[in-house]
């Protein structure tokens, strides 16, 4: 669902894949309760000169605020249309 909505909003050329990484998230606990969940990124920290989140050198990329908001709005609209 996330890939479909993101592709419709931003175009296929803007959608990529992320190499697996070891994160320190508690997302697995949420998936135990709702196995239909998804973990996705929006490009916050994947540039060569940026640190990933949970790193003391992380600096949030303010340029992705509107992208993230648009994606969440699109996901909400898609979900509510059912």
């Amino acid at each position: 669902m996330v890939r479909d909505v993101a592709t419709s909003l931003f175009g296929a050329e803007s959608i990529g894949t992320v190499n697996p990484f070891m994160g320190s998230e508690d997302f697995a606990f949420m998936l135990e309760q709702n196995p239909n969940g998804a973990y996705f990124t929006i490009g916050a920290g994947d540039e060569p000169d940026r640190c990933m989140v949970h790193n003391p050198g992380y600096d949030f990329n303010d340029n992705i605020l509107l992208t993230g908001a648009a994606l969440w709005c699109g996901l909400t609209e898609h979900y509510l249309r059912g």
Side-chain angles (χ1 to χ4, degrees):
M1 181 180 89
V2 175
R3 181 178 294 278
D4 290 345
V5 170
T7 300
S8 71
L9 288 171
F10 310 118
E13 68 281 354
S14 298
I15 309 304
T17 58
V18 176
N19 292 328
F21 59 91
M22 295 294 293
S24 58
E25 302 292 339
D26 294 331
F27 192 72
F29 296 113
M30 191 197 95
L31 289 179
E32 286 179 345
Q33 302 301 312
N34 181 358
N36 296 316
Y39 192 92
F40 60 92
T41 63
I42 59 170
D46 54 356
E47 298 91 352
D49 63 333
R50 291 190 177 269
C51 297
M52 293 290 288
V53 297
H54 306 297
N55 180 304
Y58 178 71
D59 178 27
F60 184 81
N61 182 354
D62 294 338
N63 294 324
I64 64 169
L65 286 171
L66 292 179
T67 300
L71 179 57
W72 280 112
C73 289
L75 291 169
T76 301
E77 289 171 357
H78 178 81
Y79 178 80
L80 291 175
R81 277 187 294 229

